Amino acid sequence: MALGLAAKKEIVAEISDVASQALSVAVAEYRGMEVAELTDLRVKAREQGVYLRVVRNTLAKRALSESKFSDLDSALTGPLIYGFSIEAPGGAARLFKDFCKTNDKLNVTALSIGSGLLGPEKLDAVASLPTRDEALARLLATFKAPAEKFVQTINEVPGKFVRVLAAIKDEK
């Protein structure tokens, strides 16, 4: 079914808006997948905070041209499904990686985290990026040992200060 100019503009605006909020994009070819498989992928995407969309490549190129994902332009060929990670930088890559384990018809063709085009060989690296909560937990874990020492030092300082004052008073 042919899309009118107004519908095309609406799609471009929607994808542009999503891309402006996204942390990363994963693009995969879905040739040969059944409707039930795509529906299952969409359900999993909603659960993981990933925006999925099948859109014409010409419209996607136009929508992404002014975004930090404009580097994807050369990789947009064939029947593609676009996954935009909204909540975690590795969300879409993780979704596609997990789905590919049970469905060999989904083939990741390109990734972008806003710093250049990444090939499908980088899927594992992008999928392993931590979520916000995981990153904060890792950061706090690095502070744990120094923080414990800091608290211990603060607790010891008043006692040492009192002893020094007492020693000064005794000398007089």
Side-chain angles (χ1 to χ4, degrees):
M1 182 168 90
L3 292 174
L5 183 59
K8 290 178 183 178
K9 286 182 178 181
E10 188 177 308
I11 291 170
V12 168
E14 178 185 343
I15 298 297
S16 293
D17 183 49
V18 170
S20 70
Q21 299 171 26
L23 301 170
S24 68
V25 177
V27 180
E29 189 172 294
Y30 65 96
R31 192 181 315 262
M33 288 181 62
E34 307 263 335
V35 171
E37 295 168 326
L38 283 171
T39 302
D40 184 40
L41 179 62
R42 285 187 172 107
V43 167
K44 290 177 181 177
R46 269 188 237 103
E47 291 169 356
Q48 296 178 24
V50 174
Y51 176 87
L52 275 186
R53 183 73 193 250
V54 173
V55 62
R56 291 181 180 172
N57 295 331
T58 54
L59 298 178
K61 286 178 184 181
R62 187 174 298 254
L64 297 174
S65 66
E66 299 296 321
S67 75
K68 59 187 170 189
F69 306 114
S70 61
D71 52 359
L72 284 171
D73 189 66
S74 62
L76 304 183
T77 59
L80 300 175
I81 188 164
Y82 299 83
F84 294 89
S85 300
I86 306 298
E87 296 174 5
R94 196 173 306 116
L95 171 73
F96 285 169
K97 179 183 174 187
D98 292 343
F99 195 78
C100 285
K101 290 177 184 175
T102 59
N103 190 318
D104 62 344
K105 294 175 186 167
L106 185 72
N107 297 312
V108 176
T109 58
L111 304 156
S112 179
I113 53 175
S115 61
L117 178 65
L118 303 172
E121 69 279 357
K122 298 290 185 183
L123 179 65
D124 290 336
V126 175
S128 66
L129 290 173
T131 63
R132 181 180 186 276
D133 292 340
E134 291 169 347
L136 288 174
R138 289 180 189 176
L139 180 63
L140 288 176
T142 62
F143 290 145
K144 184 178 178 187
E148 287 175 353
K149 183 153 178 74
F150 178 69
V151 169
Q152 181 182 9
T153 304
I154 288 175
N155 288 334
E156 291 176 359
V157 168
K160 287 180 182 178
F161 184 68
V162 169
R163 286 191 296 267
V164 169
L165 285 177
I168 293 171
K169 185 178 176 185
D170 290 342
E171 289 179 7
K172 291 183 180 181

